[in-house]
Amino acid sequence: MYSQIATLAFVGVEARAVEVQVRITPGNPAFHIVGLADKAVAESRERVRNALHSVGLGLPYKHLTVNLAPADLPKEGSHYDLAIVIGLLVAMGVISPEAVSGYAAIGELALDGSIRAVPGALPAAIGANALGKGLICPEPCGPEAAWAGENVDVLAAPHLLSLVNHFKGLLTLPRPKPSLERSDKPLPDLKDVRGQESAKRALEVAAAGGHNLLMVGPPGSGKSMLAARLPSILPPLTPEEMLEVSMVHSLAGELMGGKLCIDRPFRAPHHSASMAALVGGGSRPKPGEASLAHLGVLFLDELPEYQPNVLDALRQPLETGEIVVARANHRILYPARIQLIAAMNPCKCGGGPGMTCRRGPRCASEYQARVSGPMMDRVDLHIEVPAVTAADLVLPAATEGSREVRTRVIAARDRQRARLAAKGAKGVRTNAELTGQLLDEFAAPDAAGQTLLRQAAETMKLSARGYHRVLRVARTLADLDACDDVGRLHIAEALSYRGEALRERSVA
Ligand SMILES: Nc1ncnc2c1ncn2[C@@H]1O[C@H](COP(=O)(O)OP(=O)(O)OP(=O)(O)O)[C@@H](O)[C@H]1O
Ligand SMILES: [Mg+2]
């Protein structure tokens, strides 16, 4: 007796087709699973045996072989249980092969036959659809899988028994409804920040152009406070972006109740984070914080406190927007198009107001050297956040809050989107991602701006990267002003966000 059913293996966010083949032959009673299965898959035998027992079925007293094809693709995780048990049920003649031929299945079995949630239902449903099949998944994963499209047949079963009854026509499992995750708690508002006008402006520019931002300032100056307010001024995700973000969160098992992410991600991993936690990978590969921040913000507070090698691992994703995790025999790709927001004190001792560091300028230079030059080079906006004075704190709250700033940010992003769409540029969403030809074309300053930039490049000894950084930021400043052309003022402001001047000052 032979049967086969489709399931999926996750390689990054991609779901690859896997066929579960089951053969029951006369011979010594045995149950083998072959096909490069890891320990979780091998242990599936016991879960399958017990789950079948719980619905009143026993494994045949014969030789059972389960093959997961293709045999050279590693199979990791517990989500193969459901396909294996369905394959066995078909081979045992409990379910007809035609009933399941149009489906791929993922899910973990509990010993009592209930089907437990597994990560990756959304990419699995999209993958199954690409194979021209529907998806059988655990009930809690149903709302998530339903986002793959209205035409995708999703069967979300709570228990093995309900699945068997569905296929026998004794019960109909309802189609799950897609639902959205909307956080109810209000986001912290920019109104709470007194003074710090230039830092707020830089935050607005960063949000408008998707630029990386570094804030340097003494303890208590409000850096963490400002960063926490960035989500409140970021534009909402488009429906396609929601799906993209949710795919990654689904793989990490972070979609709460199977609801799609609607808010832009904001991830703030602690500085003790390991390489695997930040960029992904590990013994059972999972997306890291950088991928979970895809299309959103990765906030690294106390930047020099991160392990230097962990920080340097972010260099490649900051440039390419994706993370490649190399495994022994294959590569895994996770998306990581992130906006990096970092905060740090000028020196290890903090460097607060009225405080002179006893160790002198060496303290600052040593502390800052913990962040490599190439890493700093990837940050478009470097700003100083000075300590707030008591006079600032007693000021009445600013009249302008996050809502007004967000309106301007959205308008600036719309201009960028329209310009890129008119050009037919694919894969570029913000000014921060402009390179080469596109940057030359969109950010070319007018005559006065050109002159200023040329002078500045000579006197400030701008590197090629620094030069392009100024152009990108100037383009965003022009977008915030609703200007088609990049003018002298935009170049001048963009030049003020250069890091070199800042570093020289703190070292001197
Ligand atoms: N501009 C400000 N307006 C209102 N409150 C402020 C401001 N700056 C700082 N505060 C107050 O100071 C507290 C500390 O700020 P925050 O934690 O953001 O400082 P920080 O710059 O991140 O310091 P550290 O370098 O020690 O991490 C805030 O929780 C807030 O109560
Ligand atoms: Mg802080």
Side-chain angles (χ1 to χ4, degrees):
M1 284 162 287
Y2 175 78
S3 74
Q4 62 186 51
I5 175 160
T7 181
L8 300 133
F10 301 108
V11 183
V13 279
E14 193 192 337
R16 298 235 182 111
V18 169
E19 193 176 87
V20 177
Q21 305 161 349
V22 180
R23 186 175 283 283
I24 304 181
T25 47
N28 286 343
F31 185 178
H32 295 296
I33 297 179
V34 295
L36 222 58
D38 80 344
K39 190 146 185 347
V41 185
E43 285 176 349
S44 162
R45 277 192 307 236
E46 294 313 313
R47 291 192 293 271
V48 166
R49 192 193 303 276
N50 281 279
L52 279 176
H53 194 259
S54 73
V55 295
L57 292 165
L59 279 176
Y61 205 60
K62 291 185 177 163
H63 196 91
L64 315 178
T65 312
V66 174
N67 179 34
L68 308 175
D72 61 346
L73 178 72
K75 322 290 182 314
E76 289 162 334
S78 56
H79 67 272
Y80 296 99
D81 291 5
L82 194 58
I84 293 174
V85 82
I86 294 173
L88 278 166
L89 287 168
V90 174
M92 286 156 62
V94 179
I95 303 177
S96 79
E98 296 76 36
V100 297
S101 62
Y103 291 100
I106 60 157
E108 179 186 318
L109 288 173
L111 298 189
D112 64 353
S114 54
I115 306 174
R116 292 169 56 87
V118 287
L122 179 59
I126 292 172
N129 191 31
L131 300 173
K133 293 182 188 289
L135 183 75
I136 306 173
C137 66
E139 190 185 35
C141 302
E144 179 184 330
W147 277 107
E150 273 180 4
N151 56 343
V152 185
D153 187 3
V154 178
L155 280 185
H159 197 279
L160 193 55
L161 192 61
S162 52
L163 196 63
V164 173
N165 285 340
H166 175 87
F167 285 126
K168 284 183 163 296
L170 303 172
L171 169 126
T172 307
L173 288 170
R175 189 193 146 78
K177 288 198 172 43
S179 56
L180 285 176
E181 166 85 58
R182 195 183 290 271
S183 58
D184 297 331
K185 55 177 189 314
L187 294 169
D189 199 283
L190 265 188
K191 251 189 194 146
D192 309 335
V193 182
R194 306 286 157 91
Q196 301 295 24
E197 292 309 326
S198 55
K200 283 193 212 166
R201 165 76 175 167
L203 207 61
E204 178 177 338
V205 177
H211 300 286
N212 299 331
L213 167 74
L214 171 68
M215 295 181 275
V216 185
S221 56
K223 302 179 296 295
S224 307
M225 191 180 180
L226 280 158
R229 276 143 187 85
L230 183 61
S232 68
I233 60 168
L234 282 173
L237 291 170
T238 63
E240 302 86 68
E241 286 177 335
M242 274 186 218
L243 211 59
E244 234 179 274
V245 171
S246 301
M247 294 258 273
V248 186
H249 285 243
S250 167
L251 272 181
E254 289 209 4
L255 278 193
M256 306 307 283
K259 293 174 182 162
L260 213 66
C261 308
I262 184 165
D263 299 317
R264 234 166 242 284
F266 181 87
R267 310 286 302 193
H270 187 250
H271 56 69
S272 59
S274 68
M275 180 86 86
L278 203 65
V279 298
S283 57
R284 275 184 61 188
K286 261 175 68 164
E289 289 291 329
S291 293
L292 290 169
H294 179 54
L295 298 181
V297 175
L298 181 70
F299 175 46
L300 302 183
D301 207 355
E302 321 296 354
L303 188 68
E305 301 291 344
Y306 288 78
Q307 292 167 38
N309 61 333
V310 173
L311 276 189
D312 279 340
L314 283 178
R315 275 162 55 180
Q316 179 234 352
L318 280 174
E319 204 95 315
T320 59
E322 54 191 24
I323 286 172
V324 182
V325 180
R327 310 285 288 172
N329 47 6
H330 66 296
R331 282 158 21 110
I332 304 171
L333 211 93
Y334 292 119
R337 200 160 282 289
I338 48 173
Q339 181 177 4
L340 176 75
I341 305 293
M344 64 186 274
N345 297 134
C347 78
K348 178 93 184 156
C349 334
M355 192 184 121
T356 37
C357 181
R358 265 187 294 128
R359 295 184 56 219
R362 259 188 67 199
C363 185
S365 55
E366 275 173 20
Y367 192 56
Q368 291 175 20
R370 285 177 60 91
V371 185
S372 70
M375 182 75 192
M376 286 284 194
D377 237 12
R378 282 160 176 76
V379 179
D380 286 343
L381 303 163
H382 293 239
I383 58 158
E384 215 170 345
V385 184
V388 268
T389 57
D392 279 335
L393 291 176
V394 295
L395 283 176
T399 46
E400 190 180 72
S402 294
R403 210 154 54 92
E404 292 81 0
V405 179
R406 189 171 193 241
T407 314
R408 291 199 295 269
V409 168
I410 291 175
R413 286 258 183 145
D414 285 345
R415 291 180 66 85
Q416 294 165 48
R417 196 170 311 123
R419 188 166 49 229
L420 287 162
K423 191 75 196 159
K426 288 224 162 59
V428 186
R429 300 172 210 239
T430 55
N431 286 340
E433 293 164 32
L434 292 178
T435 47
Q437 177 90 41
L438 282 179
L439 183 65
D440 287 344
E441 195 170 324
F442 293 158
D446 61 12
Q450 193 78 56
T451 317
L452 176 63
L453 187 56
R454 199 167 333 110
Q455 281 167 355
E458 277 165 22
T459 51
M460 296 165 128
K461 298 200 172 49
L462 276 185
S463 67
R465 243 208 191 116
Y467 182 87
H468 289 142
R469 219 159 63 193
V470 170
L471 281 180
R472 270 192 288 263
V473 175
R475 179 63 264 171
T476 301
L477 293 167
D479 283 332
L480 277 170
D481 280 350
C483 289
D484 285 336
D485 291 329
V486 176
R488 187 183 161 83
L489 270 181
H490 304 131
I491 296 284
E493 187 175 345
L495 283 168
S496 73
Y497 296 126
R498 285 180 55 252
E500 288 81 352
L502 196 83
R503 251 172 282 162
E504 275 158 22
R505 207 170 325 141
S506 55
V507 172

